[in-house]
Amino acid sequence: MKALAGLRVLDLTHMLSGPYATLLLADMGADVIKIEPPHGEATRVLLADDPAHSIDGMGAYFLFLGRNKQSVTLNLKDPEARPLLDALVARADIVISNFSVGVADRLGLAHDRLAQVNPRIITCAITGFGETGPHRHHASFDMVAQATGGGMTLTGSGDVPLRAGLPIGDLGGGLMATIGILAAVQARHTTGRGQHVDISMQDVQVSLLSYMATMFGLSGRIPPAVGNGHFVHVPYNSYPTADGHIILAIITDDSWLRLLAALDLPALDTPEHRRQPGRLQARERIDAALAERLLARPRHDWLPLLRAADIPCAPVQDLAEVLTDPQVLARNMVVDVPHPGGRRTRQPGNPIKLSSTHEDTFAAPPLLGQDNAAVYRDLLGLDDQTILDLHARGIV
């Protein structure tokens, strides 16, 4: 049995931040019912026409984000859909959306209203700037969150601001939404009532500034962008080898001495370099010497030597290398997920490993409205003719 078995989630999300949150909940066993407009959620069409990155008109976005979920259609803009929404809410634990501020209220999804239907309901809204504050109505996507959260000025070498290669604005919002929802579930065990979870993508990025924001609070100085280097530790960087890059992350003085022995670089073993402040002052010289030494041989020669000396190091892996990495495979972090048409895709697995309620199963992402009958008939008790009538009127 999975950890969240028995929790029912109504998923009204779109694009990435919200669907990623509900993916995590679904992978851990929650019964996630994805409620889509009759024409389908926007993520369905992303890459859908790209034959290299789609299956039968379902693109890579939805192939990943849709797994382990059910799909029903419901036109929330139609007032006649409200009774169906309320009937679902009455049987649910969680309602999650990531509309712009104000849209959820207009669609009847405000927590106060849904709590009248089901006092135990937990609602969650992921927005760019949160539901309070002077910027709450500003439009936002991943890059907006990264820009307004400060991280772009810390990424790269400082010449131009750079966004992270991964969409951490969206994914961070989804992660924090999952944490907030599970906290509300725990609180409900004590209070017996649900509550609302308000997630701001900008808030999340500010939280991720962590000790760097604290440094600024102490000194008033903005930490510089140092590329793959570190503003304190040296050597701490990526270095070219004969066939790719490796990283070294030397934190302690003892590690530095072991590194010099492993790489046979006695010229760098000076009294000044034996302590971190001296190495920081000599960053350019040290990095240049390491780059010259490492370039002489391929990664598979250096890594065993470095690991034998207990040096924090790693190859810089591209996606092909990551997805065939023995450690990644041993952790079941690459999984086969079926498609309704019979083909299968290789996707990232579930990173949350629990000792007794961790069951890795991955159901196919649903076709649009695939579960209308199962949800409206079996869960809500509607007869087939009523469902047909709702469909004919464009409500489902």
Side-chain angles (χ1 to χ4, degrees), residues 5-162:
L7 282 180
R8 180 172 291 131
V9 179
L10 302 184
D11 176 1
L12 293 105
T13 66
H14 62 291
M15 298 308 289
L16 185 54
S17 62
Y20 186 63
T22 54
L23 168 78
L24 296 173
L25 296 172
D27 280 357
M28 290 187 286
D31 177 16
V32 176
I33 301 173
K34 186 171 181 62
I35 299 177
E36 304 186 58
H39 58 272
E41 188 255 299
T43 309
R44 283 187 178 272
V45 303
L46 295 178
L47 299 177
D49 296 328
D50 182 345
H53 300 114
S54 66
I55 297 177
D56 298 340
M58 184 181 289
Y61 280 80
F62 198 83
L63 286 168
F64 174 65
L65 296 168
R67 74 185 186 203
N68 285 334
K69 301 177 184 180
Q70 302 177 69
S71 169
V72 301
T73 52
L74 185 61
N75 183 6
L76 293 175
K77 295 181 180 179
D78 190 323
E80 293 188 67
R82 190 66 58 85
L84 287 175
L85 173 65
D86 288 353
L88 289 168
V89 169
R91 294 162 174 79
D93 297 283
I94 299 151
V95 177
I96 178 171
S97 65
N98 61 326
F99 301 115
S100 298
V101 170
V103 173
D105 290 356
R106 292 196 296 272
L107 295 177
L109 299 170
H111 178 80
D112 289 347
R113 195 193 80 77
L114 297 186
Q116 295 175 7
V117 176
N118 178 358
R120 291 177 57 81
I121 200 70
I122 293 164
T123 58
C124 176
I126 307 170
T127 59
F129 296 94
E131 296 178 302
T132 60
H135 297 164
R136 64 187 182 278
H137 291 295
H138 288 188
S140 181
F141 287 103
D142 170 79
M143 196 168 181
V144 175
Q146 291 197 39
T148 59
M152 286 182 64
T153 66
L154 304 174
T155 305
S157 300
D159 47 350
V160 295
L162 291 177

Side-chain angles (χ1 to χ4, degrees), residues 99-244:
F99 301 115
S100 298
V101 170
V103 173
D105 290 356
R106 292 196 296 272
L107 295 177
L109 299 170
H111 178 80
D112 289 347
R113 195 193 80 77
L114 297 186
Q116 295 175 7
V117 176
N118 178 358
R120 291 177 57 81
I121 200 70
I122 293 164
T123 58
C124 176
I126 307 170
T127 59
F129 296 94
E131 296 178 302
T132 60
H135 297 164
R136 64 187 182 278
H137 291 295
H138 288 188
S140 181
F141 287 103
D142 170 79
M143 196 168 181
V144 175
Q146 291 197 39
T148 59
M152 286 182 64
T153 66
L154 304 174
T155 305
S157 300
D159 47 350
V160 295
L162 291 177
R163 70 175 179 88
L166 295 174
I168 59 171
D170 278 330
L171 297 177
L175 285 168
M176 291 299 187
T178 303
I179 294 170
I181 287 168
L182 295 179
V185 170
Q186 171 60 29
R188 193 175 65 177
H189 292 316
T190 301
T191 67
R193 301 185 66 82
Q195 60 183 299
H196 182 60
V197 180
D198 172 8
I199 298 294
S200 155
M201 290 164 59
Q202 184 188 40
D203 287 357
V204 174
Q205 297 306 300
V206 172
S207 174
L208 296 178
L209 293 176
S210 60
Y211 65 87
M212 303 188 86
T214 307
M215 289 168 56
F216 175 77
L218 291 169
S219 69
R221 298 194 297 269
I222 297 174
V226 291
N228 290 331
H230 197 281
F231 60 91
V232 172
H233 303 297
V234 175
Y236 191 109
N237 214 325
S238 62
Y239 302 91
T241 71
D243 65 347

